[in-house]
Amino acid sequence: MFGLPIPIIGLIVAVVVLVYLVLRTRVHAFIAMLIASAIAGIVGGLNATETLAVISKGFGGTLGSIGIVIGLGVMMGSILEVSGAAEKMAYSFIKFLGKKKEEWALAITGYVVSIPIFVDSAFVILYPVAKALAKNGKRSLLTLGVALAGGLVVTHHTVPPTPGPLGVAGLFGVDIGAMLLVGMALAIPAVIGIVLYAKWLDKKYPTFNQEVFTQEELKEKFDNYIESREKKNLPGLGISMLPIALPIVLIFIKAIVDLMAKQQQFAWILDSTIYQLIAFVGSPIIALAISVLVSIYALLPNADKNTTALHLEEGVKTAGIILLVTGAGGALGAVLRDSGAGQQLAEQVANLPISPILIPFIVSTLVRFIQGSGTVAMITAASISAPILMEIPGVNMLLAAQAATMGSLFFGYFNDSLFWVVNRMMGINDVKKQMIVWSIPTTIAWAIGGSGVVLANLVWGQDGSILDLIFPLGILAIILVYVQTQNRKL
């Protein structure tokens, strides 16, 4: 087949079958990825016994490294959801920033809340907050809703302990603490981009709100909202944020100490008791376990044992299929490594006129556009590209992992569940307007996030090129020109 090595042919056939099964059949992505793994192994030169052994090894190895963290993360998210902690954060940020910066307050709330809580659920919980603050003119419901959803979606796609980024970290073999910190940093410009776009939407659709209020009525609505939140039995802000901040702080401290220990003058730290303690509590598993315990006793102090168990188990149910998909991605990656496809593709990629860092970004973008799920997109991209990039010297695997997560933000539309949640809750039925309201913001975040990865790779990678910016920014420019053209027709 065009003179390609057998393992690469196996990969091509496997990817074609995977895309077909996900798009054209009722086969779930988890089963489709297992089938693709088997095809890649058998067609790629492994016998049936070897293929099954590699699939099992890859599946177990991947979940062994991040499965516990995913489970603990969704448990914590469930407690934050049912306790009212998420709503408390929204109310507090709004009160702190005042009456003229609600969109920023909601975006910040989304940025924080979506780290542990699934994005669809978080939007449903927090949208009434935006609705209660809806205003005409400069503070439209459209602006507030998109800003909130933008803050939610970016960290959901890029920051552990959200299951998708955790799975990507496991597949690329990067430190979860570093993944968390870099993801939070790269997410900030993307969220800012969405908020600015949300403010532009207000100018584009100034009559979106069905109600128009006088300035006195607006002040009364705001004051009534603040008063109602103060009367509601919500946990305190410090208690609400503690389960999120605690693991981040513990992981961050461990990362700093590890960096210090790499310096020759501080090498003695590795043998100290204090380092062992920091390494223990700063590991993602222990940090999140502590956080779950804190959230249970601080946010649900009066809940009985059975009620608490039900809340925790409800969270685990939502993570079940993500665990399976992540494990299947690990299986596919293991097959590509053991069949030799990864090494052979690495030799070809090294000769391409693009930096290797763009490979996971491009693959994730394509898979996202084809089948809609951001989690499946980033896991698929990581499972395919990680074995390739590991064979190329000088690739910054942490940034490669972030490239896979950023690619999964691309153009959320009809096959993305959040597309429907956002548009339906805001009452938007026109297809063109639906895409302007949600598909474009996610693409803006995709382009800004991808550009952030490219720029970081210029500094901390060895294979970067300023020309890598052409792909994310060029695609964004084309889409914005198309939208502007469609705007004239509306």
Side-chain angles (χ1 to χ4, degrees):
M1 183 178 178
F2 308 109
L4 294 175
I6 293 298
I8 295 181
I9 294 174
L11 172 60
I12 293 172
V13 174
V15 171
V16 170
V17 171
L18 174 62
V19 171
Y20 175 79
L21 290 176
V22 171
L23 269 185
R24 298 295 184 182
T25 73
R26 291 181 294 171
V27 175
H28 193 275
F30 164 62
I31 299 175
M33 292 184 79
L34 288 181
I35 293 172
S37 300
I39 292 173
I42 294 173
V43 177
L46 301 177
N47 61 40
T49 302
E50 291 171 336
T51 299
L52 291 174
V54 173
I55 289 175
S56 297
K57 179 183 70 174
F59 188 95
T62 301
L63 289 188
S65 62
I66 51 88
I68 298 174
V69 180
I70 290 177
L72 291 170
V74 295
M75 283 182 175
M76 179 180 69
S78 180
I79 299 298
L80 290 172
E81 183 177 331
V82 300
S83 66
E87 189 177 358
K88 176 66 177 184
M89 284 184 272
Y91 147 68
S92 300
F93 287 135
I94 290 166
K95 186 177 180 181
F96 176 74
L97 290 174
K99 303 175 186 177
K100 297 188 180 296
K101 298 178 181 177
E102 291 88 351
E103 67 274 18
W104 293 104
L106 289 171
I108 293 170
T109 302
Y111 175 92
V112 175
V113 168
S114 194
I115 293 175
I117 298 178
F118 279 92
V119 63
D120 293 29
S121 300
F123 186 79
V124 172
I125 294 168
L126 294 174
Y127 182 67
V129 176
K131 198 170 182 180
L133 295 169
K135 298 180 179 182
N136 67 326
K138 294 183 179 180
R139 296 296 176 266
S140 73
L141 176 58
L142 184 60
T143 295
L144 298 183
V146 171
L148 169 63
L152 290 167
V153 75
V154 175
T155 50
H156 174 77
H157 280 247
T158 60
V159 181
T162 305
L166 276 176
V168 171
L171 291 168
F172 275 97
V174 301
D175 180 74
I176 294 175
M179 185 77 173
L180 185 150
L181 297 174
V182 173
M184 291 182 70
L186 291 175
I188 292 173
V191 173
I192 292 173
I194 290 183
V195 174
L196 294 177
Y197 179 81
K199 295 177 74 171
W200 173 84
L201 284 174
D202 178 25
K203 299 177 182 178
K204 174 63 183 174
Y205 304 106
T207 60
F208 178 82
N209 283 3
Q210 294 180 351
E211 299 176 290
V212 178
F213 307 105
T214 65
Q215 289 299 316
E216 292 76 17
E217 288 171 331
L218 292 177
K219 183 178 185 303
E220 183 180 356
K221 282 179 68 69
F222 181 88
D223 292 341
N224 288 343
Y225 169 74
I226 295 297
E227 184 180 354
S228 68
R229 297 309 97 175
E230 289 175 343
K231 291 180 178 179
K232 193 171 181 179
N233 187 25
L234 295 174
L237 178 61
I239 296 289
S240 298
M241 294 196 66
L242 183 61
I244 299 175
L246 182 59
I248 293 175
V249 170
L250 292 176
I251 291 171
F252 179 73
I253 291 173
K254 178 180 180 296
I256 295 298
V257 173
D258 284 339
L259 285 175
M260 290 178 56
K262 291 180 181 179
Q263 306 298 319
Q264 188 173 0
Q265 63 268 35
F266 295 112
W268 58 269
I269 293 177
L270 294 173
D271 298 321
S272 66
T273 303
I274 189 66
Y275 174 79
Q276 297 301 317
L277 178 61
I278 291 173
F280 180 73
V281 299
S283 68
I285 291 176
I286 302 303
L288 280 169
I290 294 172
S291 181
V292 171
L293 292 174
V294 168
S295 65
I296 291 172
Y297 288 99
L299 297 176
L300 297 177
N302 300 319
D304 57 41
K305 179 179 179 180
N306 292 333
T307 302
T308 302
L310 286 174
H311 291 322
L312 295 175
E313 290 167 8
E314 190 64 32
V316 174
K317 288 178 184 177
T318 60
I321 195 62
I322 295 177
L323 285 168
L324 292 176
V325 170
T326 301
L332 178 58
V335 169
L336 298 185
R337 283 190 295 270
D338 285 33
S339 69
Q343 181 177 358
Q344 292 171 359
L345 275 172
E347 296 172 0
Q348 303 298 321
V349 169
N351 297 322
L352 292 176
I354 61 173
S355 300
I357 200 79
L358 283 183
I359 299 301
F361 183 68
I362 293 172
V363 174
S364 183
T365 298
L366 293 174
V367 177
R368 160 73 166 186
F369 187 72
I370 289 169
Q371 56 78 53
S373 169
T375 300
V376 172
M378 66 179 79
I379 293 297
T380 303
S383 61
I384 291 174
S385 59
I388 299 171
L389 300 186
M390 287 176 181
E391 301 292 335
I392 301 176
V395 175
N396 187 317
M397 299 303 286
L398 175 58
L399 293 179
Q402 283 296 331
T405 65
M406 289 297 180
S408 68
L409 283 165
F410 183 72
F411 203 78
Y413 73 125
F414 309 125
N415 52 8
D416 173 21
S417 62
L418 188 59
F419 174 90
W420 296 110
V421 171
V422 171
N423 280 298
R424 283 174 178 168
M425 291 199 70
M426 289 200 291
I428 301 171
N429 298 314
D430 180 78
V431 173
K432 290 182 179 178
K433 189 180 288 186
Q434 286 175 338
M435 288 194 286
I436 289 172
V437 165
W438 191 237
S439 303
I440 301 306
T442 55
T443 306
I444 290 172
W446 167 85
I448 293 175
S451 299
V453 171
V454 168
L455 293 174
N457 190 49
L458 290 175
V459 178
W460 291 288
Q462 299 181 18
D463 55 1
S465 168
I466 195 68
L467 297 178
D468 294 337
L469 291 171
I470 293 175
F471 178 68
L473 297 182
I475 296 295
L476 177 63
I478 292 171
I479 291 176
L480 291 179
V481 169
Y482 172 77
V483 171
Q484 189 64 27
T485 303
Q486 294 301 309
N487 279 345
R488 298 192 184 104
K489 299 178 182 179
L490 290 176

